[in-house]
Amino acid sequence: MDATTAPHRIPSEMPQYGEAKRVFEMLQNMLEQLLIHRPEEPIPFMIDYLQQNNDNVPKIVVLGPPAAGKTTIAMWLCKHLKSNLLTIENLIAKDFSSRAADDRRHYQKMKGWILDGIPATREQALMIQALGIIPRHVIALSAPDTVLIERNLGKRIDPRTGEIYHTTFDWPPESEIQNRLVVPAGISEPETAQKLLEHHRNIVRILPLYPKILKVISADQPCVDVFYQALTYVQTNNQSNAPFTPRVLLCGPVGSGKSLQAALLAQKYSLVNVCCGQLLKEAVADKSKYGEVIQPFFDKEIAVPDGIVKKLLCQRLSQLDCVRRGWVLHGFPRDVDQARMLTGRDHMPNRVFFLNVPLDSIIERLTLRRTDPVTGERYHLMYKPPPTIEIQARLLQNPKDSEEQIKLQMDQFYRKCAELEQFYEQAITVNGDQDPYTVFEYLESGIINPLPTKVP
């Protein structure tokens, strides 16, 4: 590119398309597979890879000691994610050498795969990597040995169906099944202790191979709790190396702290702080062409039409600093129609947060606000009281901070909030009724971490 024409103006829809379609990750994954398999004809290989369209299918490894419940968790994940469950029994126990090529193709199916207890050794893990089988999530279950030994002693198996039961946790109600249950081999206390010792020796050499995709979950809790922790983890996307420009939208009722959080985000991440109300005031103060149109509405104290707000806002979001650095927007949109208008102009946010604050807390925050008419200093009778009685005596309250006005604005917001949340399907709801810096940490986590994958 010709450096003399810098800075180059990149249309805002280009990075938005790349992020929405995960173009960077798609090319990165394709390059990985290309280097692993090293086909003689790379072009047909890449075409075939793109046609598979399986970058987002489950690729999960579930590890754990005996009696930790890894098979149960793997089976439940398999059913929930509609994926393929692969175990030692249906892979390695059967003529591995003749099936290796078929198994590799099996991994690439559209439904993805979940490995139960594989790899069991570091050597297996390295062999799997050499075959180009790379998991996206690794779950390692852990529990005290005493708990696992006691749990293993109660295991029973149905020889007819192969179903596993437990004398304490999962006993079948049917007497017919109870009568035919047998004690499986290898679950005595010495045998279990030996297997645990072998597991501990191997697992410390396996886990370092997956430092960035590993989640350790305690198995010493109800199985349902373990499953939901595992499900939550596998539905999250791993950190991407793709360039990311935050386009953050903060929604919430008046007094929920949107302005403060926007200022904190803008300060830390160099985002452009775009407040819709402030943008309108600046246009009037600058006496711009939009300001002249907006002024009559200010004089009459009525809402500025959406069409004018949209044009002014889109003009600001299209400027070079917003495109390059990203932005944090608050004060707009307030309803679904405004949200559609914003999206239609290629200004779709990639992170949306709803700050949820109870009415009582909002009233406490706003009705106690006061302003010193002499100095212009703002106070709060509870959180930032005036230093002297003299100053307190002259403080004034903004009519908009009356309890009646606040309740009216809250009612207007929540009447439209449900539709707005449905429009932004991947929006994150944050409890705004806590310390501002705690709220900021939640927002920051939602920005720097990938959005979770929603499985129907």
Side-chain angles (χ1 to χ4, degrees), residues 248-252 351-355 427-428 430 442-443 446-447:
V248 183
L249 172 61
L250 299 181
C251 299
R351 292 293 186 276
V352 180
F353 298 96
F354 282 86
L355 302 181
I428 300 172
V430 177
Y442 280 107
L443 297 179
I447 292 172

Side-chain angles (χ1 to χ4, degrees), residues 13-60:
E13 58 268 20
M14 288 179 61
Q16 291 180 30
Y17 177 84
E19 291 170 16
K21 302 300 182 182
R22 299 178 65 86
V23 173
F24 184 93
E25 291 85 350
M26 178 178 62
L27 295 176
Q28 184 181 45
N29 293 337
M30 183 173 65
L31 181 60
E32 285 179 357
Q33 295 299 316
L34 192 64
L35 295 177
I36 289 170
H37 295 285
R38 289 167 289 181
E40 292 293 333
E41 298 293 338
I43 301 300
F45 177 88
M46 289 189 288
I47 292 173
D48 180 62
Y49 175 84
L50 293 173
Q51 288 176 337
Q52 290 178 17
N53 190 29
N54 66 350
D55 281 343
N56 296 318
V57 299
K59 297 179 181 180
I60 304 167

